[in-house]
Amino acid sequence: MLPHERSLVEELKDQPFAIVGINSDPVDKLKELVKDGTTTWRNFTNEQANGRKISDEWGVTGWPTLYLVDHKGVIRHKGLRGEQMEKAIKELLAEATAKPAEAAEAKPEPAVEKAAE
C-alpha cells in the first residue's frame, strides 16, 4: 500500500489533495519511516501525549483504515482501495476545483456523517 500512497502524493502534488497518516508504530519507527522516505506525507502517532489513542476516538479497529475527506471537511468514503479509491479521489478533486455554478449542481451526500465522538 505504501508505494501506491507515495505515487498518489507525487501524481497529485499540484492538486488540493493530501494524505494524513495515523501511525500505530512506535515513535522511533515512525521517525525512521519518514527519514528513509517510506512515508512522504504528514503523520501522527496513534498514541497521544494525553494517553488517548486516535484509533479509539475514531473507532478504528484495523490498519490501514482509510477515510476520504472532501474539501469541506466531510468524510465521504471509508475503506475504499485500489481503483475505487482513485475514482473517488478524482471525483472529490473535480468537486473541489469546480466553478461555483458546477459545484451547485453537484450536491453529494456524505458517506459517513460524522466520526465517532
Side-chain angles (χ1 to χ4, degrees):
M1 177 134 187
L2 292 174
H4 185 245
E5 291 167 331
R6 279 193 305 272
S7 69
L8 281 174
V9 169
E10 179 59 30
E11 177 186 342
L12 302 172
K13 66 183 174 189
D14 296 324
Q15 300 289 321
F17 171 81
I19 291 179
V20 178
I22 308 302
N23 198 299
S24 62
D25 291 320
V27 174
D28 291 340
K29 176 67 174 172
L30 177 56
K31 287 180 181 179
E32 206 177 289
L33 294 172
V34 172
K35 184 177 180 180
D36 73 11
T38 300
T39 63
T40 57
W41 50 89
R42 184 176 305 222
N43 278 274
F44 297 91
T45 58
N46 185 40
E47 192 153 337
Q48 300 298 290
N50 63 8
R52 296 169 77 175
K53 292 184 177 182
I54 295 171
S55 58
D56 292 341
E57 299 294 317
W58 282 67
V60 172
T61 58
W63 303 90
T65 298
L66 304 175
Y67 294 91
L68 295 184
V69 180
D70 70 12
H71 64 289
K72 295 179 180 177
V74 176
I75 297 171
R76 297 279 294 278
H77 302 281
K78 179 182 176 187
L80 298 181
R81 301 275 195 279
E83 289 179 22
Q84 285 183 320
M85 181 179 69
E86 287 197 36
K87 181 180 179 211
I89 289 170
K90 289 179 180 171
E91 288 171 357
L92 293 175
L93 287 172
E95 288 176 22
T97 58
K99 294 180 176 120
E102 294 170 348
E105 293 174 11
K107 294 188 180 181
E109 293 296 320
V112 179
E113 292 190 38
K114 67 176 188 174
E117 295 185 28

